[in-house]
Amino acid sequence: MIYLTRIEHFNAAHRLYNEHWDEEKNISIFGKCANQNWHGHNYELHVTVKGKANPETGFIMNAKELSRLIKEKITDVLDHRNLNVDVPFLKGLQPSTEVLAKCIWQQLEPSIKECQLHCIKLIETHAIYVEYFGEE
Amino acid sequence: MIYLTRIEHFNAAHRLYNEHWDEEKNISIFGKCANQNWHGHNYELHVTVKGKANPETGFIMNAKELSRLIKEKITDVLDHRNLNVDVPFLKGLQPSTEVLAKCIWQQLEPSIKECQLHCIKLIETHAIYVEYFGEE
Amino acid sequence: MIYLTRIEHFNAAHRLYNEHWDEEKNISIFGKCANQNWHGHNYELHVTVKGKANPETGFIMNAKELSRLIKEKITDVLDHRNLNVDVPFLKGLQPSTEVLAKCIWQQLEPSIKECQLHCIKLIETHAIYVEYFGEE
Amino acid sequence: MIYLTRIEHFNAAHRLYNEHWDEEKNISIFGKCANQNWHGHNYELHVTVKGKANPETGFIMNAKELSRLIKEKITDVLDHRNLNVDVPFLKGLQPSTEVLAKCIWQQLEPSIKECQLHCIKLIETHAIYVEYFGEE
Amino acid sequence: MIYLTRIEHFNAAHRLYNEHWDEEKNISIFGKCANQNWHGHNYELHVTVKGKANPETGFIMNAKELSRLIKEKITDVLDHRNLNVDVPFLKGLQPSTEVLAKCIWQQLEPSIKECQLHCIKLIETHAIYVEYFGEE
Amino acid sequence: MIYLTRIEHFNAAHRLYNEHWDEEKNISIFGKCANQNWHGHNYELHVTVKGKANPETGFIMNAKELSRLIKEKITDVLDHRNLNVDVPFLKGLQPSTEVLAKCIWQQLEPSIKECQLHCIKLIETHAIYVEYFGEE
């Protein structure tokens, strides 16, 4: 069993806000992240798959094909978008890094066929990152 | 003459769009950066000052004071904001990295008194950065 | 189950030395790290917690609260200090990166209440880091 | 149980090519990586060992000794070499990052005596890395 | 005057060798870099251009166009190639980082029309980089 | 004219303190950096030399020779030392990053003979670095 990681990037706007709360409670929980005019991040996405190396290629999965899948399912949908407004698979959800990582897993997992999806790591800032391993 | 650099961070939303152009021309020039619902970045800001080291302190300027000034004049104004909407000193300007770097210089320069502002370096993504040295 | 990591920094002096050994044995085991006048490092600390995302906030724990706890319990105590001399929770211990990571876990773990502490990762130099997962 | 990682570097040439396939199939699978005149990488190698901290030293293993072992068994053999041609332990194998990580484990594991080898992480480019934990 | 930098990557094999010298002298000067079966690197290329920001776009040059030019003139020619064998513009030259940076300048400079090429920075390893500013 | 940079590392303890001032003034200027029991840093040192590439080697200076010189003159003297106590060339000086960069220039400059020393860049923390170009 070997683990292969491909790193991709996307830049997006978002806002953390719970519409069932008043402004004061939103500010007390989310602080500057609740700014009504949005803010944004450069997200660095690490997608890790695991499997056995094919002896003919030495690959558990072709990293170029993994990159193509991430582009098709994830970065083409998220890059230069507003996570609260523009992204069908995030509709009605709080676009925190935790929720975003889990949704990226759900979008990508059905397309990984030769091997298994192992981890979505999402780096939001120079000080915060999140990992999701498909665990309930 | 010694050069001292302090690195700070801010996260902001923006959009590149020229309202004197139609949608098609905006897309042809700015591509995804014109998305009407915004996108955003983690900006890494390097502020470089130059001067002679004070023999009593060994400093050309106290790096903590430089950090405080950057916070007061720049990151408190830009962090978790929308560069097109929320920032008085960017009103009416295209918030490209080039323009933003120049405006940061103009905001910060009058407050650097013990030594001289030398460079504003602004890293927008893992692949793009801009430097401004106060040259017309 | 999602994993959230917050990165913080501290700078400290230390020395590796076993006072039950003579100078020669200390040098043979610890080399330059035994220098009696100390040396030091910029430590980069990754604190990882795990839990389920709260549907109201999207958070497993507020990253700002995690940062505040790390500051209160760890970096306010270690930053700009001498690990052999100044730190109550390291008294009588060898301040290796391994021991330091384990002690940081012990200091922090009782304060993580909404979710669980998962990992302390401590980067000592550009070539060495340590991870502790609370395993005996 | 604590985990200690040492990072080392080597630069090597390689080519991905299956000699049982014709040129066309090689290109379709390996693309530019099949170039007959080779290409190369700066490999960053993370070797992680695990064990209990010795109370006399605070170490699970002396990081200098770990570095010496990696140099003797791995980087002296791989650095500034051609992975397809020059390396006895890769003879007849496809020198993909996956296969290389597994072979590094096999070379290094018998020499780790005070504690246990836990992970070989091999970073091939700014966008691809592989991890191997000794799992069949 | 503002400076804009675009970062791109390429991976290549090379060898440092002077065919007018015998093997012994080559080894004494170039060491492991003279290995007859080649070695290789991940090169990180920073291309800096300078000019005035266009008030309509905020750009001194469209970073996407700069990226396209670097791809066409440089990385499509160098990526996954052997610098001693495969690259027309390096024929007969020693492919050191210094020479490579100067040749990249010469290939790129005629195509930069809206503004001026300012610097080619080429990072060869984690410990070595070269800069060329077009100075004779 | 081409610029070549070699990166090296050293780890050291220091303290910022002016013995002509009382404790209160020292704390007001240097804050935590005045801690009497020292603190420390991982310093990353970039040494840049400039010159013309030798057509026989492609080098302006052999990077291995530059590395050997930095080791002999600088890192062997500073690594795992106390900058206030252990280093002859810093005696009686305030070991700020500014002063340290200037002293490294003075130690190294007489030994650079084939080409010219251009810049000493010294990275003290993840947020502060200093550059010295030999300017009075």
Side-chain angles (χ1 to χ4, degrees), chain D residues 2-132:
Chain D
I2 302 188
Y3 299 74
L4 167 71
T5 300
R6 176 80 198 184
I7 302 175
E8 303 285 348
H9 300 264
F10 59 94
N11 310 317
H14 79 154
R15 175 196 191 193
L16 299 180
Y17 190 80
N18 185 324
E19 55 187 25
H20 300 105
W21 297 347
D22 62 15
E23 194 65 13
E24 195 187 1
K25 181 158 184 193
N26 270 292
I27 296 294
S28 80
I29 300 294
F30 296 120
K32 295 179 297 185
C33 298
N35 176 23
Q36 66 173 343
N37 291 324
W38 323 99
H39 66 281
H41 299 290
N42 303 333
Y43 290 93
E44 184 175 312
L45 171 63
H46 295 219
V47 175
T48 303
V49 295
K50 64 181 173 186
K52 285 186 184 299
N54 177 327
E56 288 192 315
T57 60
F59 293 162
I60 61 166
M61 178 179 179
N62 194 317
K64 256 178 297 183
E65 171 62 7
L66 181 54
S67 176
R68 196 196 59 74
L69 271 176
I70 301 170
K71 187 170 154 46
E72 178 190 320
K73 302 290 182 189
I74 308 298
T75 56
D76 276 358
V77 185
L78 297 177
D79 190 34
H80 284 73
R81 301 295 167 86
N82 183 312
L83 302 179
N84 301 63
V85 176
D86 292 332
V87 182
F89 68 70
L90 292 171
K91 275 284 155 63
L93 298 171
Q94 188 68 269
S96 69
T97 319
E98 287 94 328
V99 170
L100 186 50
K102 194 169 178 177
C103 290
I104 289 172
W105 175 286
Q106 289 162 346
Q107 291 303 304
L108 210 48
E109 198 279 335
S111 305
I112 307 293
K113 296 195 190 310
E114 306 164 61
C115 56
Q116 287 173 268
L117 185 58
H118 174 67
C119 182
I120 298 298
K121 178 178 180 179
L122 192 57
I123 304 176
E124 193 194 45
T125 71
H126 67 287
I128 293 177
Y129 60 86
V130 151
E131 290 156 298
Y132 182 62

Side-chain angles (χ1 to χ4, degrees), chain B residues 2-51:
Chain B
I2 302 187
Y3 298 75
L4 168 72
T5 300
R6 176 80 199 185
I7 303 175
E8 302 286 348
H9 300 264
F10 60 93
N11 310 317
H14 79 154
R15 174 196 192 194
L16 299 180
Y17 190 80
N18 185 324
E19 54 188 26
H20 301 105
W21 297 347
D22 61 16
E23 193 67 12
E24 194 187 1
K25 182 159 184 192
N26 270 292
I27 296 294
S28 80
I29 300 294
F30 296 120
K32 295 178 297 185
C33 298
N35 176 22
Q36 67 174 342
N37 292 323
W38 323 98
H39 66 281
H41 298 290
N42 303 332
Y43 291 93
E44 184 175 313
L45 171 63
H46 295 219
V47 175
T48 303
V49 295
K50 64 182 173 186

